[in-house]
Amino acid sequence: MTVTGIVYKLSGNYAQIKTPRPQACESCSNYSLCKGKDVDMKVFNSIGAKIGDHVEVDVCEDQRAIYIMAYLF
């Protein structure tokens, strides 16, 4: 799944971005827990993005991601 966000902080080789929740989240049984809040991600900045840049991030949908999401809730 690819999400679009805005870079709001840089830290070394990483960028902190905010992105709206993907539409796929609306069908999640845990949607009421996050109430559709923006997603905050720290990602490797391989393209040299700067603060304020709009970026696309490819998010893997694997078992580890599901486990991490379950742990966060």
Side-chain angles (χ1 to χ4, degrees):
M1 165 177 24
T2 301
V3 296
T4 303
I6 299 174
V7 177
Y8 74 91
K9 182 179 177 182
L10 298 172
S11 178
N13 293 327
Y14 291 87
Q16 199 85 16
I17 68 166
K18 283 204 185 247
T19 180
R21 292 244 177 230
Q23 213 165 4
C25 289
E26 292 176 11
S27 62
C28 175
S29 61
N30 294 316
Y31 184 74
S32 62
L33 295 173
C34 64
K35 297 185 180 27
K37 295 178 185 173
D38 288 346
V39 177
D40 191 324
M41 294 184 211
K42 184 175 184 179
V43 297
F44 185 70
N45 188 3
S46 62
I47 61 170
K50 299 194 179 357
I51 294 176
D53 286 352
H54 291 260
V55 295
E56 289 186 350
V57 178
D58 190 29
V59 181
C60 296
E61 296 180 53
D62 64 9
Q63 291 294 356
R64 286 179 292 162
I66 292 169
Y67 175 76
I68 290 169
M69 289 301 290
Y71 178 76
L72 291 174
F73 290 114

